[in-house]
Amino acid sequence: MRYIALILAPAMVLAALSAAATAETVPPSPIKIAVFPFELEDFSAGAAYVPPDDIDREQLRLSTEEGRRLIAASGRYQLVDVSAVNDQAAKAGKLRDCDGCEARIAAGLDADQSMIGIVTRITRTEYTVTYKLRDARSGTIVAIGQTDLRMGANVAWSRGARWLIENRLLVQAQDKQLIFAVAEIHYVDTSGEVIDQSADHRRRLREFEAALRSDMVASGKIANAALECPPNACSVGDIGDSQLLSKAKEAGATHLLIGRFHKMSTLIQQAKFDVIDVKARKVVFDRYISFRGDDDAAWRRAESFLARQILDHGEW
């Protein structure tokens, strides 16, 4: 009964939050970001015959400098030096193709986030510019922005980069977008099964959290903030609600999502999720989920259902 009470007691969350409320708002610390050099992705008909030249390389350099200048000047971000990076994909200008390895590199530089910029050449006179931000700890995409500009010659790349940073990245950073911090999910198994599935459950929990973050970001409604916690030690079963809220506030999040899973039998699992407004320190969304099965497919269905419930919530 102790574990069921843990799942079914949102009042305890509200009580803890009320006691910890404070009147003073502390601005979040700047996000440490590793901005890697812009890369050229050439899809034009002549790509196989006309390789990038010195003018292309110079315009990529100028685009990178312009992006870094605007990001640093915003005050929201603190640039991390990437000049000494020795990774092969980075040196070859192929971070866009390394399946998110830029996040790992950024984490090694003690950055919170990584950013890559991509200039895509569609024809010799048509280009787009894209940026991708990832959480350095998890590798999860935090934000993606892309121009739909037709910019003409390659000398316009830096203007496209400037427009994208000013009108997408920095606009999103001005609290016009919800920012969710997703805490690790607490898991309790009272099924009495003989087989020890703790390793599988831990893996599925991390995959569940990562998929939830990705689905929210992909919607365009919500951005992610990373909590500063040791791995596998950042759930409501590890630290108190007030501590999690403080970490969410330090990360610049507007909302904190906490969850608890309870495996009751071989086939039945229940979960309770709360979304807490960090500033107001109150629960603004809660859902119970009950589902059958304990395999990857069952967990994916549960995550997809929860993501839809959160994104369709009227308050957003």
Side-chain angles (χ1 to χ4, degrees):
M1 296 299 295
R2 171 175 169 266
Y3 298 121
I4 297 174
L6 177 65
I7 292 178
L8 303 179
M12 295 173 63
V13 176
L14 292 172
L17 303 185
S18 299
T22 58
E24 183 179 359
T25 300
V26 179
S29 301
I31 299 169
K32 292 186 289 184
I33 185 168
V35 179
F36 295 97
F38 274 58
E39 300 178 357
L40 176 61
E41 185 176 47
D42 195 342
F43 290 144
S44 67
Y49 310 102
V50 183
D53 56 23
D54 289 341
I55 296 176
D56 289 339
R57 286 185 281 272
E58 175 64 8
Q59 295 309 314
L60 289 173
R61 185 188 67 80
L62 292 174
S63 299
T64 303
E65 287 189 356
E66 184 69 354
R68 287 173 176 165
R69 180 185 68 80
L70 292 168
I71 288 169
S74 72
R76 179 172 173 80
Y77 296 96
Q78 176 187 336
L79 293 180
V80 173
D81 185 13
V82 300
S83 60
V85 170
N86 196 36
D87 183 88
Q88 291 300 314
K91 291 194 293 185
K94 296 287 188 179
L95 288 176
R96 66 187 184 277
D97 296 327
C98 72
D99 196 25
C101 71
E102 70 274 12
R104 171 181 53 77
I105 299 169
L109 299 172
D110 196 31
D112 301 313
Q113 294 180 0
S114 66
M115 173 179 163
I116 58 172
I118 305 165
V119 176
T120 302
R121 178 151 46 201
I122 302 168
T123 70
R124 301 303 291 189
T125 59
E126 295 181 291
Y127 305 89
T128 62
V129 180
T130 305
Y131 69 76
K132 292 183 181 180
L133 264 70
R134 291 182 184 270
D135 176 76
R137 179 182 166 198
S138 66
T140 303
I141 291 178
V142 175
I144 298 176
Q146 185 178 69
T147 66
D148 55 0
L149 303 177
R150 296 296 179 261
M151 296 181 290
N154 51 11
V155 293
W157 293 354
S158 60
R159 291 202 300 272
R162 178 170 65 249
W163 183 92
L164 191 61
I165 298 299
E166 290 178 336
N167 293 279
R168 291 292 183 267
L169 177 62
L170 298 182
V171 166
Q172 292 174 355
Q174 293 173 354
D175 291 335
K176 294 188 177 182
Q177 190 176 38
L178 297 170
I179 305 173
F180 272 45
V182 179
E184 292 177 351
I185 300 168
H186 182 53
Y187 196 86
V188 174
D189 186 349
T190 61
S191 65
E193 289 181 317
V194 176
I195 299 173
D196 182 4
Q197 297 192 72
S198 56
D200 282 335
H201 289 154
R202 189 159 48 248
R203 172 182 60 80
R204 288 174 183 142
L205 287 169
R206 300 297 85 86
E207 290 175 353
F208 188 104
E209 296 150 7
L212 190 58
R213 294 185 185 102
S214 295
D215 286 347
M216 290 193 294
V217 168
S219 73
K221 297 180 180 181
I222 296 173
N224 285 326
L227 297 174
E228 187 64 35
C229 294
N232 302 316
C234 199
S235 75
V236 289
D238 300 311
I239 57 179
D241 305 313
S242 294
Q243 289 176 284
L244 281 172
L245 266 177
S246 297
K247 290 180 180 294
K249 186 176 181 180
E250 291 168 3
T254 60
H255 293 78
L256 170 68
L257 189 151
I258 58 176
R260 309 164 179 83
F261 265 78
H262 180 198
K263 183 171 182 178
M264 306 176 69
S265 69
T266 301
L267 292 178
I268 302 299
Q269 302 201 68
Q270 290 185 345
K272 172 68 165 61
F273 292 92
D274 295 300
V275 175
I276 305 166
D277 184 306
V278 173
K279 184 176 181 180
R281 304 180 78 87
K282 68 176 183 179
V283 175
V284 294
F285 170 95
D286 63 271
R287 285 294 184 278
Y288 289 100
I289 297 175
S290 179
F291 65 98
R292 294 176 64 85
D294 189 8
D295 56 20
D296 290 353
W299 282 65
R300 282 194 296 269
R301 288 193 297 270
E303 182 279 324
S304 181
F305 174 82
L306 177 62
R308 289 196 303 271
Q309 291 289 299
I310 293 172
L311 294 172
D312 290 344
H313 185 53
E315 282 200 17
W316 313 145

